[in-house]
Amino acid sequence: MDKEKERERESRQRLHKILKIGGIIVAALIIGAAVFFVFKLRSDAKEALREAKNTRMALRSADVMMYAHQKSVFNPSKENGIEEGAEKYIEQIYTPQGKYRITGYDATAHEVTGMTYERGHFFVTFELVDGAVHWDVDYRMNVYHYDEDDIVVE
């Protein structure tokens, strides 16, 4: 009987060790996945910011080329705020991977003072206020999408 109880106790101890090790492995995997996700998100955000900055520089260069033709790169009547023909100059310099839009322009200084850049889930905002440059990178997540078929209130 004592040997049987001893074996049962050893069996429980082994099971306890296995469960403990399994729990540690699961916790390590969860923490590792979370760390990986944070670094991946940060890396993608930096890439979106780099692309937005390159697009801004291409806009500045295109504005110089447009200025030579007595035009501006900015056209507030266009949806994206960019004058026709300016995109050709921009794409000669840099081909953006996302969508960009001019939101502000200083006509006296011939300088873009605001723009947005969208790539994937990232939304980059540029503002030039009193000579100070501000860049914001936001991560957009679609929580819910409403269609005409959705019943919102009954």
Side-chain angles (χ1 to χ4, degrees), residues 64-97:
V64 170
M65 290 182 204
M66 295 291 285
Y67 182 71
H69 299 290
Q70 275 77 42
K71 291 184 178 182
S72 166
V73 75
F74 182 59
N75 185 346
S77 65
K78 299 284 185 181
E79 184 180 344
N80 62 358
I82 299 171
E83 180 65 52
E84 260 185 62
E87 287 178 343
K88 178 182 72 174
Y89 290 124
I90 293 166
E91 293 199 5
Q92 285 176 353
I93 300 165
Y94 178 72
T95 306
Q97 302 298 315

Side-chain angles (χ1 to χ4, degrees), residues 91-109:
E91 293 199 5
Q92 285 176 353
I93 300 165
Y94 178 72
T95 306
Q97 302 298 315
K99 297 178 188 176
Y100 56 95
R101 172 185 186 156
I102 297 176
T103 57
Y105 186 79
D106 184 356
T108 57

Side-chain angles (χ1 to χ4, degrees), residues 2-130:
D2 287 337
K3 287 184 180 183
E4 207 172 291
K5 284 183 181 180
E6 185 68 28
R7 271 191 229 150
E8 192 175 311
R9 190 171 63 79
E10 286 176 5
S11 176
R12 283 186 194 154
Q13 285 177 345
R14 254 188 245 122
L15 180 62
H16 181 69
K17 279 184 180 180
I18 290 170
L19 289 175
K20 192 175 181 181
I21 291 170
I24 291 171
I25 290 172
V26 167
L29 287 173
I30 290 171
I31 291 170
V35 168
F36 173 77
F37 180 72
V38 167
F39 279 109
K40 174 81 169 113
L41 191 65
R42 213 173 144 82
S43 171
D44 289 348
K46 285 182 179 182
E47 187 176 330
L49 177 61
R50 183 175 40 254
E51 289 177 11
K53 286 182 174 183
N54 288 341
T55 302
R56 177 180 175 242
M57 295 307 294
L59 280 167
R60 289 180 77 180
S61 298
D63 196 33
V64 170
M65 290 182 204
M66 295 291 285
Y67 182 71
H69 299 290
Q70 275 77 42
K71 291 184 178 182
S72 166
V73 75
F74 182 59
N75 185 346
S77 65
K78 299 284 185 181
E79 184 180 344
N80 62 358
I82 299 171
E83 180 65 52
E84 260 185 62
E87 287 178 343
K88 178 182 72 174
Y89 290 124
I90 293 166
E91 293 199 5
Q92 285 176 353
I93 300 165
Y94 178 72
T95 306
Q97 302 298 315
K99 297 178 188 176
Y100 56 95
R101 172 185 186 156
I102 297 176
T103 57
Y105 186 79
D106 184 356
T108 57
H110 288 283
E111 189 166 21
V112 175
T113 58
M115 74 169 262
T116 60
Y117 182 81
E118 241 181 297
R119 184 178 150 267
H121 290 285
F122 292 97
F123 188 78
V124 182
T125 307
F126 163 75
E127 289 181 332
L128 180 66
V129 181
D130 298 327

